[in-house]
């Protein structure tokens, strides 16, 4: 569980920082269509999830990990990262935007959830080393 907490903290903190960096650069995520620079944020959970899962497989599982085990670990990492990212989003909305923009931001949070599920499936397939045979 330590690996999930550390990797999730890294995802959450980097995602929150990225949101504040975009604000500092003058890019507001609530206005209109996303800017190309906003899509860079997609790489934060993907890269950290990959390295967190690789570390878990190599150190905790001694190189042997099944798909279900990888998927569960991926979800643990992403849930912790998601909680921190959503908390940072709420702080961002309350402190830096005028009015209640939570509904505008909730669509992006839902999109991040779907992308996270796809990342968890993809990284789990890549990290699987034990193949279960169905006979």
């Amino acid at each position: 569980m330590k690996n999930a907490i550390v990797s999730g903290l890294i995802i959450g903190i980097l995602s929150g920082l990225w949101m504040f960096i975009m604000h500092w650069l003058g890019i507001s995520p609530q206005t209109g269509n996303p800017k190309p620079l906003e899509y860079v944020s997609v790489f934060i959970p993907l890269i950290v999830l990959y390295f967190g899962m690789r570390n878990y497989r190599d150190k905790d599982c001694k190189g042997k990990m099944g798909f279900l085990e990888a998927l569960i670990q991926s979800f643990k990492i992403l849930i912790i990262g998601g909680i921190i990212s959503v908390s940072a989003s709420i702080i961002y909305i309350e402190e830096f935007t005028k009015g209640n923009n939570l509904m505008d931001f909730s669509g992006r949070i839902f999109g991040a959830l779907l992308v996270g599920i796809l990342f968890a499936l993809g990284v789990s397939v890549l990290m699987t080393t034990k193949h279960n045979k169905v006979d």
Side-chain angles (χ1 to χ4, degrees):
M1 187 69 179
K2 180 183 176 188
N3 181 60
I5 292 171
V6 170
S7 297
L9 281 172
I10 293 170
I11 289 172
I13 291 169
L14 289 177
S15 296
L17 282 174
W18 183 250
M19 198 172 2
F20 290 102
I21 289 170
M22 285 192 323
H23 177 77
W24 180 69
L25 293 173
I27 299 171
S28 177
Q30 283 83 22
T31 57
N33 293 330
K35 313 256 183 318
L37 191 58
E38 288 184 73
Y39 291 114
V40 172
S41 65
V42 172
F43 294 109
I44 294 170
L46 179 62
I47 292 169
V48 177
L49 181 64
Y50 174 79
F51 285 110
M53 288 298 298
R54 192 171 79 176
N55 181 47
Y56 177 74
R57 180 193 66 195
D58 295 344
K59 294 199 172 139
D60 294 344
C61 298
K62 306 204 183 350
K64 303 284 185 186
M65 185 168 55
F67 175 74
L68 186 59
E69 186 178 6
L71 191 61
I72 290 170
Q73 184 69 14
S74 294
F75 283 142
K76 287 179 187 177
I77 292 170
L78 291 174
I79 286 172
I80 293 168
I83 290 169
I84 296 168
S85 296
V86 168
S87 299
S89 298
I90 291 170
I91 292 169
Y92 175 81
I93 289 169
E94 292 296 321
E95 295 297 321
F96 295 107
T97 62
K98 305 292 185 230
N100 185 6
N101 292 324
L102 190 58
M103 291 304 291
D104 296 337
F105 215 70
S106 65
R108 292 185 186 212
I109 292 172
F110 181 72
L113 174 68
L114 292 177
V115 168
I117 290 170
L118 292 174
F119 285 168
L121 289 170
V123 170
S124 296
V125 167
L126 286 174
M127 294 293 140
T128 299
T129 56
K130 291 191 312 189
H131 301 286
N132 297 334
K133 294 180 181 177
V134 179
D135 292 324

